[in-house]
Amino acid sequence: AQSVSQHNHHVILSEAASLELGCNYSYGGTVNLFWYVQYPGQHLQLLLKYFSGDPLVKGIKGFEAEFIKSKFSFNLRKPSVQWSDTAEYFCAVNKGAGNKLTFGGGTRVLVKP
Amino acid sequence: NAGVTQTPKFQVLKTGQSMTLQCAQDMNHEYMSWYRQDPGMGLRLIHYSVGAGITDQGEVPNGYNVSRSTTEDFPLRLLSAAPSQTSVYFCASSPRGGRGTDTQYFGPGTRLTVL
């Protein structure tokens, strides 16, 4: 079965620090990759997605992610975080033509002011 | 557009009771789905639909039923609630069924507690 792993369950960092969240998936075929974010009290929203082309994708709020096919990874990065980036971040994967998403367990990020 | 709406926001049930979680979208999306969110487990797919009259099971369908009589609505029915169904439930929609590149739009969630 397809699985998605997020290695860090909790991350605490200070404002202006750099953030990198790991995501690995197990499926070997064509995949579409997503990062969703859930801010406190809000519903999930898309940060960015990758399905083809340049493996370095840029999303909203200064986030970017790099798809490395050989490592089955899609890590999320932000060079300098703000207090408002405090949220839970989810990596998700689906197979080429289907909409069914498989989510990772999520990473809670706390940014201290 | 209101996007994806869910009712109720909170619900407490006793074991064995049944109830329906409502989900509606006003974006004319073909694809709709239900997920449950449990700590440390991310979101897991319960049921999904690629269009009116078409539904299928996801990863964790046991104890839940769905129907899709209209494009707009996709209710989730708990047949006989169990404590293991205590969770936060999210409904999501995306424009087209069978297009995995489409963004999914999530509702605000329903927090369900089963005693």
Side-chain angles (χ1 to χ4, degrees):
Chain A
Q2 182 173 296
S3 69
V4 180
S5 300
Q6 293 182 240
H7 313 296
N8 308 99
H9 298 293
H10 293 92
V11 172
I12 302 173
L13 59 168
S14 299
E15 278 193 313
S18 63
L19 173 69
E20 181 161 359
L21 302 181
C23 173
N24 286 89
Y25 60 94
S26 63
Y27 182 65
T30 301
V31 293
N32 303 305
L33 300 154
F34 303 80
W35 276 98
Y36 283 87
V37 61
Q38 186 176 30
Y39 297 105
Q42 298 187 26
H43 39 119
L44 277 82
Q45 57 185 282
L46 182 73
L47 268 181
L48 48 79
K49 63 182 178 181
Y50 172 82
F51 50 91
S52 66
D54 188 344
L56 183 62
V57 292
K58 296 189 184 299
I60 62 171
K61 304 188 179 185
F63 284 90
E64 64 179 31
E66 185 176 14
F67 169 53
I68 303 179
K69 189 174 182 179
S70 62
K71 294 185 177 180
F72 298 90
S73 70
F74 189 55
N75 293 353
L76 180 71
R77 298 193 292 254
K78 185 169 184 178
S80 176
V81 296
Q82 300 172 316
W83 174 79
S84 58
D85 293 321
T86 293
E88 189 162 16
Y89 294 80
F90 294 94
C91 181
V93 179
N94 67 21
K95 299 177 188 179
N99 300 73
K100 294 189 289 182
L101 286 175
T102 300
F103 281 83
T107 299
R108 288 185 183 271
V109 174
L110 173 62
V111 180
K112 294 183 175 179
Chain B
N1 286 352
V4 180
T5 57
Q6 292 183 237
T7 56
K9 289 188 178 180
F10 302 94
Q11 183 70 49
V12 178
L13 293 178
K14 294 181 179 178
T15 297
Q17 287 185 314
S18 64
M19 79 158 295
T20 300
L21 307 185
Q22 301 292 344
C23 173
Q25 52 89 10
D26 61 358
M27 299 175 283
N28 201 31
H29 284 176
E30 289 183 358
Y31 182 84
M32 296 185 74
S33 56
W34 277 102
Y35 294 88
R36 59 177 289 173
Q37 182 184 21
D38 302 292
M41 303 185 74
L43 283 77
R44 291 179 292 168
L45 183 64
I46 304 171
H47 285 286
Y48 66 97
S49 168
V50 297
I54 306 169
T55 64
D56 207 344
Q57 295 181 350
E59 182 185 355
V60 289
N62 292 343
Y64 307 95
N65 272 356
V66 292
S67 59
R68 184 99 180 264
S69 56
T70 66
T71 299
E72 294 79 18
D73 301 299
F74 191 45
L76 177 72
R77 184 165 179 81
L78 279 70
L79 308 173
S80 176
S84 60
Q85 293 179 304
T86 293
S87 188
V88 181
Y89 291 83
F90 288 98
C91 181
S93 72
S94 61
R96 294 159 294 184
R99 285 297 297 265
T101 57
D102 283 352
T103 299
Q104 294 198 24
Y105 297 86
F106 286 82
T110 294
R111 186 174 293 273
L112 175 69
T113 301
V114 183
L115 302 175

